[in-house]
Amino acid sequence: MSWLRTPIFKLVFYVGSSVFVLPTPLAAALGRRPLTRLVYGWAHFHDWCTRVLLGVRWRVEGTLPREPVLVAMKHEAMYETIQALLLLDRPAPVLKRELLDIPLWGRACQRYGGIVVDRDAGAKALRAMLTEAKEIIGEGRPILLFPEGTRVPHGEAPELKSGLSGLYRLLGLPVVPIACDSGRLLPKKGVKHAGIVTFRVGETIPPGLPREEVEARVHAAINALNG
């Protein structure tokens, strides 16, 4: 039935998402609270679609953080980018500067609250990024990034991008690595399969470690489900 479930899921999810996406500019103009409600409504809709239409459920091994930390999550499918909203407490995503140039969507991202990273930024932009990060930390929210930079097929373990170590050093936060095996059931291309996606929370990594050590520990932890 997987071959039939996949197109049904795409039809229902993408058409249904318009109910949440179209009001986004208005919600963003009204403030963070109505926008956040809309975002979480969409996340719950996505969870319903994956559970009911694809037969995909999830489980957590370990204790998820409820304090302001840097969460480094494995990235194998679109699934975890949305599911993270339900797993974590109002996570603030790390965003590439180019994403904010998308009409309407970029404005909504800024309103929701995220960390904008500009690789070509000067000192002024860096100070603005740190100010945003401190505000988010002050709200008790975790900061979420996918240190591999892009989706990778299940079983692969590429080197981490430099953004992780940069934020780790600048923000002085502990890192909580989270592995997931979503790519096993939800490959980027092809048929999706029913089953259980596991999120495995690794050991918290304290601040202040050398770059090589923190990267090695995060890399090992987020790839713990590759076997």
Side-chain angles (χ1 to χ4, degrees):
M1 290 293 291
S2 294
W3 65 271
L4 184 58
R5 289 183 176 199
T6 301
I8 292 176
F9 165 79
K10 289 182 177 180
L11 176 64
V12 174
F13 175 65
Y14 287 110
V15 172
S17 290
S18 63
V19 175
F20 301 93
V21 174
L22 293 177
T24 295
L26 176 59
L30 293 174
R32 181 177 292 179
R33 180 172 294 181
L35 177 62
T36 299
R37 288 178 179 174
L38 194 65
V39 168
Y40 276 84
W42 180 60
H44 282 288
F45 173 65
H46 173 262
D47 185 56
W48 181 90
C49 287
T50 53
R51 282 188 296 106
V52 175
L53 303 178
L54 290 179
V56 174
R57 286 167 171 75
W58 53 275
R59 67 185 173 199
V60 175
E61 296 179 355
T63 303
L64 291 165
R66 295 299 173 190
E67 63 275 357
V69 295
L70 191 59
V71 175
M73 186 177 289
K74 181 72 177 179
H75 191 17
E76 295 186 354
M78 183 181 74
Y79 182 81
E80 59 270 9
T81 64
I82 304 175
Q83 205 66 26
L85 293 168
L86 305 181
L87 294 171
L88 303 170
D89 181 17
R90 299 168 299 139
V94 175
L95 305 167
K96 296 179 182 179
R97 174 64 199 173
E98 308 87 79
L99 294 177
L100 299 187
D101 295 330
I102 300 174
L104 303 179
W105 192 87
R107 167 74 174 172
C109 284
Q110 286 182 308
R111 178 68 75 175
Y112 171 76
I115 307 298
V116 180
V117 176
D118 187 348
R119 295 173 182 172
D120 300 320
K124 183 177 180 180
L126 180 60
R127 287 194 297 270
M129 186 270 287
L130 288 175
T131 298
E132 292 174 352
K134 289 177 181 177
E135 289 178 357
I136 288 167
I137 293 168
E139 295 171 359
R141 300 169 62 189
I143 295 172
L144 170 67
L145 81 158
F146 299 96
E148 293 161 318
T150 188
R151 283 181 287 184
V152 298
H154 180 68
E156 293 188 7
E159 292 184 3
L160 307 183
K161 302 294 183 182
S162 60
L164 168 67
S165 59
L167 286 172
Y168 173 77
R169 177 176 55 84
L170 288 171
L171 301 180
L173 291 175
V175 180
V176 176
I178 300 179
C180 79
D181 57 358
S182 57
R184 228 177 11 93
L185 305 176
L186 305 163
K188 185 175 181 180
K189 296 180 180 179
V191 176
K192 318 299 183 187
H193 303 281
I196 298 176
V197 172
T198 298
F199 293 91
R200 181 176 294 173
V201 185
E203 181 181 351
T204 300
I205 300 169
L209 298 179
R211 172 177 177 174
E212 294 78 11
E213 182 177 351
V214 69
E215 287 186 344
R217 290 177 64 172
V218 169
H219 188 271
I222 67 172
N223 289 295
L225 296 173
N226 276 8

